[in-house]
Amino acid sequence: MSGDDDMTEQFDNLFLSIAQHHPQGASQLLDTFVNFLGRKTDFFIGGEEGAWEKLVMSTFKKYEKISRDHHETELKGKREKEARLKAAAAKKAEQETIKSAEITELTDAEAEKLQAEIDANKSSQPAQPAPTTETIEDDEDESEKGKLKPNQGNGCDLDKYRWTQTLGDIENGDNWAID
């Protein structure tokens, strides 16, 4: 066989069909092929004695090397792909670990200790003035009475929320800032 890709592709279906008729595998297929060469050709007697053996061995060694190289290339590709997948999975797991919040159940004693630490940190920080909400009581416009009075930033100070705004914020409807 010349090794020409077109030739090999041409006979693949034929060889596959023949191989499927050999339930004992490659050794039975090889035995059938060598038997054919001995009966129907001058393969064994057409040249010098032992020439057929050199031809067979060089052909087998050639395709053994090609097959092993191909197999090694495939294995290397699979290993690299697995390594990339493992690295990506590890990176994803690391990111999920960083992002995920941990819920830890505390005993009553641990909870009291943690609360004491939080209270201590709050007391050590300078106290911020509590926001005051004032209502408009005396205004010429009756519709304004009872409404909340704006803070210095033309916004509002509530118990847990404070905001300010400028005239530009109101006109443009953007640049919202929460303090």
Side-chain angles (χ1 to χ4, degrees):
M1 182 171 272
S2 67
D4 186 18
D5 285 342
D6 293 335
M7 286 285 274
T8 57
E9 291 292 325
Q10 178 183 356
F11 293 113
D12 278 353
N13 287 335
L14 180 62
F15 288 136
L16 183 59
S17 175
I18 294 170
Q20 288 173 340
H21 287 74
H22 292 82
Q24 294 174 356
S27 63
Q28 186 183 19
L29 174 64
L30 188 57
D31 187 60
T32 302
F33 184 67
V34 173
N35 184 340
F36 164 77
L37 290 175
R39 288 181 301 108
K40 300 294 183 176
T41 70
D42 64 351
F43 183 75
F44 294 105
I45 57 172
E48 294 179 24
E49 190 173 327
W52 65 269
E53 187 175 4
K54 290 178 186 174
L55 176 62
V56 168
M57 291 310 293
S58 67
T59 303
F60 270 88
K61 286 182 180 185
K62 173 184 170 184
Y63 286 101
E64 177 187 23
K65 181 175 179 1
I66 291 170
S67 181
R68 288 189 186 279
D69 290 346
H70 179 72
H71 181 69
E72 186 61 35
T73 302
E74 284 182 347
L75 285 178
K76 184 178 179 184
K78 285 180 183 178
R79 286 185 206 122
E80 289 173 355
K81 183 178 178 181
E82 287 174 5
R84 284 192 306 269
L85 290 174
K86 283 181 182 179
K91 185 176 181 180
K92 184 177 179 181
E94 181 181 330
Q95 289 174 346
E96 287 176 1
T97 301
I98 292 170
K99 290 181 183 179
S100 66
E102 286 187 28
I103 299 175
T104 306
E105 191 169 328
L106 301 176
T107 63
D108 289 341
E110 291 171 330
E112 289 175 10
K113 181 180 176 184
L114 181 61
Q115 188 61 48
E117 289 175 12
I118 292 171
D119 292 342
N121 285 342
K122 281 184 181 177
S123 64
S124 67
Q125 293 177 354
Q128 296 180 354
T132 58
T133 55
E134 298 179 30
T135 56
I136 300 172
E137 296 300 329
D138 53 348
D139 197 333
E140 295 174 6
D141 189 0
E142 289 294 321
S143 65
E144 297 295 318
K145 286 185 180 179
K147 293 184 178 180
L148 294 178
K149 193 173 188 179
N151 62 14
Q152 290 180 338
N154 201 25
C156 185
D157 292 328
L158 302 173
D159 291 337
K160 295 186 179 185
Y161 184 76
R162 185 177 101 202
W163 58 275
T164 61
Q165 63 186 7
T166 64
L167 185 58
D169 294 336
I170 296 169
E171 289 175 350
N172 296 331
D174 59 357
N175 298 329
W176 294 94
I178 299 174
D179 297 337

